[in-house]
Amino acid sequence: MRGRRRIRTAVVSAAAALLCAGVASGCTTGSPGAAPPAGSRTPTPTPSPTPSPTPASLWDVSPASVAAVGDSVTRAFDACAVLADCPEVSWATGTDTAVNSLALRLLGPGKVATRSWNLARTGARMAELPEQMAGAAAQKPELVTVMMGANDACRPTPELMTPVADFRFSFETALARLRVGAPKAQVYVSSVPDLKHLWSTGRHSPEGLKVWKLGICGSMLADAEDLGPAAERRRTAVRERVVAYNKVLEEVCAEDERCRYDGGAVFGFRFDGGQLSPWDWFHPSRDGQARLAELAYRRITKE
């Protein structure tokens, strides 16, 4: 009997071994509950990765106050009358409902007078921006709009244009000045318009040509009817300087977490005759101011 039991046990063990060979790994021939073979290790479950939290944006798409700094465009020069500012139609802080300025869109008509400030000055260049920014900071605005640089390129001759390094220094200084007085203010930075496109559009107007001969933006508009190679090189040099200024605006703004550059939207906007002043064919008209307001609002309110 003992011999038969030993034979039966051997047969059962052999059958178990054959079954294990035909199934997935992990099968053992030991009895249920037996310890795993020496040297084997129980797999440790891999924990699911914890998703990193998305950082909260510092940008508020509905600021409750607006200060505007810049030059004649923000003062709406020549938009209502010849050789005069017309801030009520300014793209940034104007009250004219036909323009529907940035301040009107963000604040509503009831708050524009008390919660927006236009500190721009016709004729201003980038070197003046630190002073304007200090004035803006004193108001503690939630948003500051910047449109500056056209006058740095619009000089009597290309040789007098503001050097790019000086332009950068003034802009960096201006942002630093703002941060001293209003560290949490948001900043919207407009690109400098394409002055060569303005020449290309306005040169077809007899009225515009007469005004340009008085000396407006000589580096670009002098001898506006001259299409020769020397004149073309001069205009191209001015345009390239504007492109360099816009690169500075983009780079410096990118270093400030509360600053948004317009991505070249104003530079790329193709002003037509109806969007230019009927008095100088260079500054934006009411309709041109409305287009600037739309570009700014779209960028500022983007989530």
Side-chain angles (χ1 to χ4, degrees):
M1 294 296 291
R2 291 178 183 171
R4 292 180 180 176
R5 289 195 187 98
R6 284 196 295 269
I7 293 171
R8 188 180 300 126
T9 300
V11 171
V12 171
S13 298
L18 290 172
L19 287 171
C20 283
V23 296
S25 61
C27 178
T28 63
T29 57
S31 59
S40 66
R41 184 176 299 172
T42 303
T44 302
T46 302
S48 300
T50 303
S52 301
T54 301
S57 173
L58 295 176
W59 189 265
D60 180 5
V61 298
S62 55
S65 56
V66 179
V69 296
D71 55 26
S72 56
V73 177
T74 299
R75 294 297 298 176
F77 180 80
D78 268 3
C80 303
V82 63
L83 299 179
D85 290 348
C86 189
E88 60 267 28
V89 303
S90 166
W91 68 271
T93 59
T95 55
D96 189 311
T97 55
V99 171
N100 197 15
S101 72
L102 177 66
L104 269 177
R105 296 171 193 238
L106 292 174
L107 312 178
K111 295 182 179 179
V112 170
T114 58
R115 302 300 296 161
S116 68
W117 308 270
N118 192 323
L119 305 174
R121 185 186 71 81
T122 294
R125 300 200 293 272
M126 184 58 78
E128 186 181 312
L129 190 62
E131 180 183 351
Q132 290 190 15
M133 278 292 206
Q139 303 298 333
K140 306 299 182 193
E142 293 190 10
L143 175 69
V144 178
T145 67
V146 179
M147 185 178 287
M148 185 79 90
N151 290 320
D152 291 88
C154 272
R155 308 292 290 143
T157 66
E159 292 74 22
L160 295 176
M161 293 187 295
T162 302
V164 176
D166 293 350
F167 187 90
R168 179 184 293 273
F169 176 78
S170 294
F171 186 44
E172 289 176 336
T173 301
L175 282 182
R177 192 76 61 85
L178 174 68
R179 291 293 167 237
V180 170
K184 294 185 179 181
Q186 298 180 165
V187 183
Y188 164 76
V189 179
S190 165
S191 50
V192 181
D194 186 347
L195 303 181
K196 191 173 183 182
H197 170 73
L198 298 179
W199 162 79
S200 179
T201 301
R203 71 186 182 88
H204 298 292
S205 165
E207 294 83 3
L209 292 174
K210 290 178 183 178
V211 173
W212 292 359
K213 289 178 181 178
L214 299 177
I216 181 173
C217 196
S219 58
M220 177 60 72
L221 303 182
D223 302 318
E225 297 174 280
D226 183 354
L227 303 180
E232 180 60 21
R233 284 194 298 271
R234 168 172 55 84
R235 296 182 193 111
T236 298
V238 176
R239 187 179 192 273
E240 289 175 349
R241 183 60 58 90
V242 169
V243 170
Y245 290 162
N246 284 336
K247 186 65 174 176
V248 168
L249 296 176
E250 180 180 20
E251 291 175 349
V252 175
C253 184
E255 295 173 359
D256 187 314
E257 60 187 1
R258 297 181 188 272
C259 184
R260 277 190 179 182
Y261 176 61
D262 76 352
V266 171
F267 178 82
F269 185 74
R270 304 292 90 180
F271 289 91
D272 61 28
Q275 292 156 351
L276 295 176
S277 166
W279 291 283
D280 66 22
W281 283 80
F282 190 70
H283 288 88
S285 64
R286 274 185 169 89
D287 186 49
Q289 291 283 340
R291 302 288 76 76
L292 293 175
E294 173 61 29
L295 292 174
Y297 181 75
R298 191 182 306 162
R299 178 70 175 124
I300 290 166
T301 59
K302 184 177 180 180
E303 296 286 355

